[in-house]
Amino acid sequence: MVGTAKKTRRTTNKDDSLAVVHGENPQVSTIIAPIVSSYNEKIRPILDAVENLRRLNIAKEGIQLPTIVVVGDQSSGKSSVLESLAGISLPRGQGICTRVPLVMRLQSHPLPMPELMLEFNGKSISTDEDNVSDAINIATDELAGNAKGISNTPLTLVVKKNGVPDLTMVDLPGITRVPVHGQPENIYDQIKDIIMEYIRPEESIILNVLSATVDFTTCESIRMSQSVDKTGLRTLAVVTKADKSPEGLLEKVTADDVNIGLGYVCVRNRIGDESYEEARIEEERLFESHPMLSKIDKSIVGVPVLAQRLVQVQGMIISKTLPEIVKKINEKLTYNLSELDKLPVNLTCVADAMTAFMHIIGLSKESLRKILLRGEFDEYPDEKNMHCTARLVDLLDSYSNHLQCFSEKEATKDFLMDEIRELQEAKWIGLPNFMPRTAFLSIHQRKVKAVAHMPIDFVHNVWEYLETVVSSVLNRHCENYYQLQVSTRRAGQSLISKMKDNSIKHVLVVVEMEKLTDYTCNPEFIAEYKKLILQQDCFVKAVLDRQNNQTSKVKLEGVGEIDVAHLKQYSSMLTQAFDLKVRMIAYWRIVQKRFIDSIAMHLMLSIHNLVNKDLEKEIVHDLMSPKGGGIERLLEESPSIAGKRDKLNRSVKVLRESKETVGNLMDRIGTYGD
């Protein structure tokens, strides 16, 4: 196993030179230069800063960090590549070895012994080279469970060791399509979702690990990376197992059929019990002496080359994105501070609560005056439903039209028949040609009963609409005070209900008054009656003179076209019935206007009282009642505001720490420039 090679390793210093002694004496010691350069001394502070931002979870603020993301199909050799870069053993076995995102933070330190630290779930666990693989497995089980499932909760491994490159990489689960025993059926979709989340941001560099033994164009990892990086400008490919399939490898990496914009690096990973130093020697010998692999340009072969390329790419992406990260942090911090300022001040005493209450009531009343009384809609320019004066007119017009339609229909339907029947039943012994008042009242009362539901429906509709308006206004002004919002909503609903009942009572009184007697001082009644009665003689003559083969229609001005075929048999009553009819038409037009005007005036008075007097009284009464809890309840912040305040405060804390981190980094970069 991997761990058995420890006895052959040597710790080398960063200034050691490369000396390879070929085969003559296998006992000769070999010294391998560490995979590191002076570039690390400048890049490490930058990596430390980026890592601090990562620990602060700045991604939750919508700010993506530059990241090298390692992807590959299962068994492509991902873990072996990372082992070669870090010089430590990672978990191995059948199936998926990496079951959570593994953030590998490599730091070159001239320590006598390597230091390894695992960080997850807010814990930090120290380990060593011999036990790191087991420690990763235990941590993975805690994050992803003991089965073979995966999790998107990251695990961070910090490796401080002499000779490693200063790199931060995220190793993701290997891609597999076929679930094995213990894995969920949708294991492929879960892995794909995790990979796409990490490689989709433009700040991510994709390190695509490909096995030389497969056709690159069929690799699932290539398909995924191409879906987010079609030109390949942020994709670097590592070809493993070059020693297993050297045939055609040169053509594969030079033809580049899969758009790898950052190029290829071919490597040979450690085999069996080899130490990492021995593996590097064998790798160099392989690409120097193999008849096929030796033809590959030396600038794209070997783990040291890969390490240097990754450090360069990492520096490139960080330098490219750092100014934008600084800008985004500042913008997000400014925005969150602005949002915090918009939140209501925490009320700490009854005096503060009373002041806030009076302010809210004042704002609510002014908003209602604007939209209900003055027709000003500047607070709701695009919400047509809150343009209340216009909507109230719409409701009134609809009610008026319904009354009008009823009147027109009743005026021509079975013309004069109601009047004839009433006159027949109102006969009495007395002088002829006197109009019996009982007949008029009987017809009038039936008509009033027939339309009595219309004003009630109208009033109901108006108050239903007003309830939504009042609730909307109160909720808007009380949104920052949950307890007051509850109280005002309850008070508003209670008041609207009482005022609606009062309006319905008013309508019922109006209806009863209309049914009780026939009276008006409106001169329009006499004028309309005179205009209509002038047509009496012509109408009666037209009915009596009409032959059966002629049309049965007669046009009556102010009423419309009338069917009169049924009236010839009532010739003796036509004159009196016509007189009664036109009296009713003239009077009903007055009644119809009273039904509209009196109820409209009543509603306007009610709305005026609602806004200027009743609503405030009702809210105060509710708030001070036992169920309202008193003005002190305003001191309790609403759950939504408390949650928003807490979230913003946490975000501001993270952003301020992030700003300090990048500020210190920019200062250091400026020092390098000097």
Side-chain angles (χ1 to χ4, degrees):
M1 290 297 292
V2 176
T4 61
K6 185 180 180 184
K7 61 185 180 181
T8 62
R9 297 183 197 147
R10 288 193 53 195
T11 301
T12 57
N13 292 323
K14 127 180 181 179
D15 297 325
D16 290 342
S17 58
L18 175 63
V20 182
V21 181
H22 292 285
E24 294 182 3
N25 187 353
Q27 300 301 319
V28 175
S29 297
T30 57
I31 301 175
I32 301 299
I35 309 174
V36 70
S37 72
S38 61
Y39 185 62
N40 287 351
E41 297 175 5
K42 294 184 179 180
I43 195 66
R44 186 179 303 162
I46 299 177
L47 293 181
D48 288 340
V50 172
E51 190 60 24
N52 285 337
L53 294 178
R54 200 185 309 279
R55 287 196 184 97
L56 289 169
N57 210 1
I58 195 76
K60 280 192 174 181
E61 305 300 328
I63 300 171
Q64 297 296 334
L65 295 175
T67 306
I68 297 175
V69 182
V70 186
V71 299
D73 293 2
Q74 187 175 311
S75 302
S76 61
K78 273 191 317 95
S79 296
S80 297
V81 170
L82 297 176
E83 285 181 343
S84 297
L85 290 168
I88 61 170
S89 299
L90 297 175
R92 300 239 188 162
Q94 296 297 318
I96 300 175
C97 301
T98 306
R99 298 195 290 126
V100 299
L102 176 62
V103 181
M104 290 192 65
R105 178 79 167 91
L106 307 184
Q107 299 176 348
S108 180
H109 279 272
L111 301 169
M113 292 295 293
E115 291 183 3
L116 282 72
M117 185 75 68
L118 279 175
E119 299 173 353
F120 62 99
N121 283 350
K123 298 184 293 186
S124 295
I125 298 175
S126 180
T127 183
D128 56 36
E129 290 183 284
D130 291 332
N131 298 297
V132 63
S133 180
D134 291 336
I136 290 174
N137 283 332
I138 293 170
T140 298
D141 288 344
E142 183 173 329
L143 295 173
N146 294 323
K148 296 183 179 180
I150 64 172
S151 170
N152 199 12
T153 304
L155 168 64
T156 298
L157 173 62
V158 180
V159 179
K160 295 182 179 180
K161 185 178 179 181
N162 186 40
V164 298
D166 272 288
L167 282 172
T168 298
M169 299 171 289
V170 181
D171 183 25
L172 299 180
I175 303 165
T176 180
R177 281 192 171 274
V178 181
V180 299
H181 181 69
Q183 288 180 343
E185 290 297 319
N186 66 338
I187 186 69
Y188 169 77
D189 293 328
Q190 290 186 29
I191 293 173
K192 180 180 178 182
D193 289 344
I194 293 175
I195 291 175
M196 295 305 290
E197 178 183 332
Y198 275 86
I199 68 174
R200 186 176 288 112
E202 289 294 323
E203 295 81 2
S204 295
I205 292 296
I206 306 168
L207 182 60
N208 211 319
V209 181
L210 309 170
S211 172
T213 61
V214 301
D215 181 356
F216 295 168
T217 60
T218 65
C219 291
E220 192 69 28
S221 62
I222 287 292
R223 293 179 184 174
M224 288 187 187
S225 62
Q226 285 181 336
S227 69
V228 296
D229 183 30
K230 298 187 185 304
T231 59
L233 292 179
R234 53 189 182 90
T235 302
L236 172 65
V238 182
V239 183
T240 64
K241 305 180 183 180
D243 52 327
K244 299 284 184 65
S245 184
E247 296 84 2
L249 183 56
L250 175 61
E251 289 73 17
K252 282 184 178 181
V253 298
T254 53
D256 188 21
D257 294 329
V258 289
N259 288 336
I260 304 297
L262 296 177
Y264 294 82
V265 177
C266 302
V267 300
R268 174 197 179 274
N269 290 318
R270 190 165 60 95
I271 299 175
D273 293 337
E274 290 177 343
S275 70
Y276 293 105
E277 291 82 359
E278 291 169 344
R280 295 289 67 75
I281 294 171
E282 291 301 321
E283 179 183 60
E284 184 176 8
R285 180 181 291 124
L286 174 70
F287 288 108
E288 284 284 352
S289 59
H290 192 282
M292 296 180 183
L293 299 179
S294 61
K295 297 178 181 179
I296 301 176
D297 193 297
K298 298 302 178 287
S299 65
I300 62 169
V301 296
V303 170
V305 169
L306 173 62
Q308 190 67 23
R309 289 285 292 277
L310 287 174
V311 169
Q312 291 171 347
V313 167
Q314 183 176 243
M316 173 196 71
I317 189 65
I318 290 175
S319 63
K320 178 182 176 182
T321 59
L322 195 57
E324 187 65 21
I325 290 174
V326 173
K327 178 184 175 185
K328 288 180 178 179
I329 289 174
N330 288 329
E331 288 176 349
K332 184 75 173 180
L333 180 58
T334 301
Y335 174 79
N336 284 356
L337 288 172
S338 172
E339 288 297 297
L340 271 175
D341 288 340
K342 292 177 184 177
L343 294 180
V345 178
N346 273 328
L347 305 179
T348 57
C349 62
V350 174
D352 289 344
M354 181 60 73
T355 301
F357 173 72
M358 298 306 296
H359 180 65
I360 290 168
I361 294 301
L363 290 176
S364 300
K365 288 172 65 175
E366 180 58 21
S367 293
L368 289 172
R369 287 190 190 100
K370 283 172 135 184
I371 60 178
L372 287 172
L373 302 179
R374 302 203 297 264
E376 299 172 5
F377 312 127
D378 54 288
E379 294 181 20
Y380 303 93
D382 301 319
E383 297 180 49
K384 299 296 184 184
N385 194 54
M386 299 298 285
H387 297 182
C388 301
T389 51
R391 300 294 78 78
L392 288 172
V393 170
D394 292 341
L395 289 170
L396 185 62
D397 287 345
S398 176
Y399 163 55
S400 176
N401 291 336
H402 283 143
L403 276 176
Q404 184 66 33
C405 290
F406 173 83
S407 301
E408 292 174 356
K409 185 177 179 181
E410 287 294 308
T412 57
K413 181 183 177 183
D414 296 329
F415 193 69
L416 296 188
M417 290 309 301
D418 279 350
E419 287 75 15
I420 289 171
R421 283 190 289 268
E422 289 298 330
L423 288 171
Q424 286 176 334
E425 297 304 315
K427 292 182 292 189
W428 66 329
I429 298 174
L431 293 174
N433 294 329
F434 278 87
M435 180 66 68
R437 186 165 178 262
T438 55
F440 184 89
L441 281 176
S442 179
I443 294 173
H444 174 61
Q445 287 167 356
R446 280 204 305 275
K447 288 172 71 70
V448 171
K449 285 180 182 179
V451 300
H453 70 282
M454 293 184 185
I456 293 175
D457 291 344
F458 167 59
V459 164
H460 179 81
N461 291 338
V462 168
W463 285 111
E464 287 271 309
Y465 169 68
L466 289 174
E467 182 175 349
T468 64
V469 169
V470 171
S471 294
S472 178
V473 170
L474 291 175
N475 284 339
R476 181 168 72 91
H477 288 295
C478 300
E479 63 180 348
N480 294 330
Y481 301 94
Y482 174 71
Q483 299 301 336
L484 182 58
Q485 193 176 60
V486 172
S487 188
T488 55
R489 185 189 308 120
R490 186 168 54 232
Q493 291 172 346
S494 174
L495 179 60
I496 294 291
S497 178
K498 287 189 284 189
M499 299 193 83
K500 179 169 69 174
D501 291 343
N502 185 55
S503 293
I504 290 175
K505 289 178 183 177
H506 173 80
V507 170
L508 293 176
V509 169
V510 171
V511 169
E512 288 303 311
M513 287 191 300
E514 292 296 349
K515 287 195 293 186
L516 181 64
T517 188
D518 49 341
Y519 171 77
T520 182
C521 64
N522 191 328
E524 289 183 10
F525 168 68
I526 297 298
E528 186 69 17
Y529 169 72
K530 287 180 178 180
K531 185 172 70 173
L532 291 172
I533 200 66
L534 288 175
Q535 304 177 71
Q536 183 183 52
D537 293 340
C538 293
F539 175 79
V540 172
K541 185 174 184 300
V543 172
L544 297 179
D545 291 348
R546 197 160 297 280
Q547 301 299 321
N548 290 334
N549 60 349
Q550 291 179 321
T551 178
S552 61
K553 304 287 186 181
V554 173
K555 188 171 183 180
L556 193 62
E557 186 180 347
V559 178
E561 196 173 57
I562 301 164
D563 190 344
V564 297
H566 60 285
L567 295 178
K568 295 191 69 172
Q569 56 183 310
Y570 303 106
S571 57
S572 62
M573 303 183 69
L574 285 179
T575 300
Q576 194 176 23
F578 186 87
D579 189 354
L580 179 58
K581 182 70 171 181
V582 297
R583 287 174 189 270
M584 179 57 64
I585 291 174
Y587 184 63
W588 186 251
R589 288 173 181 169
I590 301 298
V591 171
Q592 181 177 291
K593 290 178 181 178
R594 282 203 298 247
F595 267 136
I596 297 170
D597 293 347
S598 65
I599 295 172
M601 296 293 285
H602 163 80
L603 287 172
M604 288 308 299
L605 176 62
S606 299
I607 292 171
H608 180 274
N609 290 337
L610 165 75
V611 173
N612 291 308
K613 296 189 302 183
D614 299 335
L615 183 61
E616 183 174 351
K617 289 181 181 178
E618 191 72 25
I619 292 173
V620 171
H621 180 268
D622 186 276
L623 189 62
M624 297 305 177
S625 69
K627 62 184 176 183
I631 198 72
E632 293 84 359
R633 293 292 298 276
L634 287 181
L635 301 177
E636 302 174 16
E637 196 166 45
S638 73
S640 61
I641 295 300
K644 184 176 182 180
R645 190 189 303 278
D646 181 60
K647 182 179 179 181
L648 285 171
N649 279 326
R650 282 187 278 109
S651 176
V652 165
K653 182 175 182 292
V654 167
L655 291 166
R656 278 177 171 159
E657 291 181 20
S658 301
K659 184 176 181 179
E660 182 180 357
T661 297
V662 296
N664 293 337
L665 174 60
M666 298 303 283
D667 290 342
R668 294 193 67 167
I669 292 175
T671 302
Y672 293 145
D674 295 338

